[in-house]
């Protein structure tokens, strides 16, 4: 991913007889773009993310990466360039640092990088009264909703990739902390896609993709 991702006349439905979830989608994302994805529930935002990440294939149309048509396959180099952070974060029944460095062998975890990731996500270990070695319980039950989302953001920072997708990933975080995190995210030299309904957040983006009834309007 050196220049752009482009959708040309992309359609998607689970069955050709059913309503199309995506219709004639045309847009271009340049490298380092910061883009808000906006629209009502069911308007196509999640379907678009699944098409970008290769979890779904277009029913019709083409996806281009750096002007070359791209068929995104499972575990491809394209998928490995993407971090996707959903609203609800998955947790291991383990300590904080293993949950931030998820997928990294325990002996290879960099403690300094873990602390840097906590700082980026505004996860104040002193206020939370936990350390990076603290057990956070099954499904992170020892953490608040906002802390769980901040662990997810710290995870994205620790395993930093070229494209970062945030799907309502800050809606449980208090306004002041969210503002600080947002500013840090938008200052990253990465391509950012952020699904949000918060008008204050939307205003921070120079480019907005607005969905309505399966189309970009």
């Amino acid at each position: 991913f050196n220049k752009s991702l482009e959708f040309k006349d992309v359609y998607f439905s689970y069955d050709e007889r059913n309503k199309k979830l995506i219709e004639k989608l045309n847009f271009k994302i340049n490298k380092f773009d910061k883009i808000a994805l906006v629209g009502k529930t069911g308007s196509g935002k999640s379907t678009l993310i699944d098409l970008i990440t290769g979890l779904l294939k277009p029913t019709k149309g083409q996806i281009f990466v750096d002007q070359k048509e791209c068929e995104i396959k499972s575990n491809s180099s394209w998928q490995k360039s993407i971090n996707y952070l959903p609203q609800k974060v998955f947790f291991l029944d383990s300590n904080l640092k293993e949950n931030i460095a998820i997928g990294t062998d325990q002996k290879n975890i960099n403690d300094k990088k873990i602390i840097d990731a906590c700082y980026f996500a505004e996860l104040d270990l002193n206020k939370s009264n936990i350390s990076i070695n603290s057990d956070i319980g099954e499904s992170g039950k020892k953490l608040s909703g906002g802390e769980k989302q901040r662990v997810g953001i710290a995870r994205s920072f620790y395993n930093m990739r070229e494209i970062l997708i945030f799907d309502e990933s800050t809606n449980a975080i208090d306004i002041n902390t969210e503002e600080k995190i947002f500013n840090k995210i938008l200052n990253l030299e990465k391509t950012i896609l952020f699904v949000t309904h918060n008008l204050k957040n939307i205003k921070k983006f120079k480019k907005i993709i607005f969905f309505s009834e399966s189309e970009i309007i």
Side-chain angles (χ1 to χ4, degrees):
F1 180 54
N2 296 310
K3 294 179 181 177
S4 64
L5 166 70
E6 190 169 4
F7 276 48
K8 288 189 176 181
D9 293 335
V10 169
Y11 290 74
F12 177 80
S13 64
Y14 287 104
D15 187 312
E16 287 192 5
R17 291 169 295 179
N18 293 338
K19 178 188 173 185
K20 293 180 175 62
L21 299 177
I22 291 288
E23 292 189 66
K24 203 172 183 182
L25 208 60
N26 288 282
F27 70 90
K28 187 175 183 179
I29 297 172
N30 295 311
K31 189 168 184 175
F32 304 132
D33 271 351
K34 311 290 190 291
I35 299 174
L37 303 179
V38 184
K40 293 179 181 178
T41 301
S43 60
K45 303 185 302 297
S46 295
T47 305
L48 171 63
I49 289 171
D50 288 345
L51 287 166
I52 289 173
T53 56
L55 296 177
L56 295 176
K57 310 290 183 192
T59 307
K60 191 168 73 171
Q62 299 163 296
I63 299 175
F64 294 86
V65 176
D66 295 337
Q67 299 179 330
K68 294 179 182 176
E69 188 170 358
C70 178
E71 184 182 343
I72 302 166
K73 296 179 181 177
S74 179
N75 207 33
S76 64
S77 58
W78 172 254
Q79 286 186 325
K80 290 175 183 176
S81 71
I82 297 172
N83 258 341
Y84 170 64
L85 182 59
Q87 185 175 332
K88 190 174 181 180
V89 181
F90 167 78
F91 286 93
L92 303 171
D93 186 3
S94 185
N95 60 32
L96 179 63
K97 72 178 182 182
E98 286 184 27
N99 273 284
I100 290 174
I102 195 166
T104 304
D105 193 292
Q106 187 176 0
K107 65 178 182 291
N108 295 326
I109 295 175
N110 183 325
D111 285 2
K112 182 185 180 303
K113 195 175 173 184
I114 292 287
I115 292 168
D116 289 343
C118 288
Y119 172 77
F120 180 86
E122 293 291 326
L123 191 61
D124 192 327
L125 300 180
N126 293 323
K127 281 186 181 178
S128 302
N129 201 27
I130 57 175
S131 74
I132 63 173
N133 296 304
S134 294
D135 177 58
I136 59 173
E138 186 179 357
S139 300
K141 66 182 179 182
K142 295 182 180 179
L143 303 174
S144 69
E147 285 172 336
K148 288 179 181 180
Q149 287 193 332
R150 278 177 276 171
V151 170
I153 291 164
R155 186 182 291 171
S156 291
F157 181 87
Y158 187 89
N159 296 296
M160 187 69 74
R161 295 178 180 177
E162 286 303 310
I163 300 169
L164 307 180
I165 301 175
F166 298 90
D167 192 353
E168 293 282 6
S169 307
T170 62
N171 64 353
I173 299 172
D174 69 89
I175 293 171
N176 291 333
T177 304
E178 184 187 35
E179 176 92 7
K180 292 175 185 176
I181 293 170
F182 240 91
N183 290 336
K184 290 177 183 178
I185 289 172
L186 293 177
N187 280 325
L188 292 171
E189 286 195 7
K190 301 292 177 182
T191 304
I192 311 287
L193 302 179
F194 210 110
V195 178
T196 182
H197 291 94
N198 187 323
L199 183 59
K200 189 175 180 182
N201 291 339
I202 293 168
K203 289 178 178 179
K204 294 178 182 290
F205 292 88
K206 292 183 179 178
K207 188 181 287 188
I208 299 167
I209 295 178
F210 187 83
F211 286 84
S212 180
E213 301 297 331
S214 77
E215 296 179 305
I216 290 175
I217 60 170

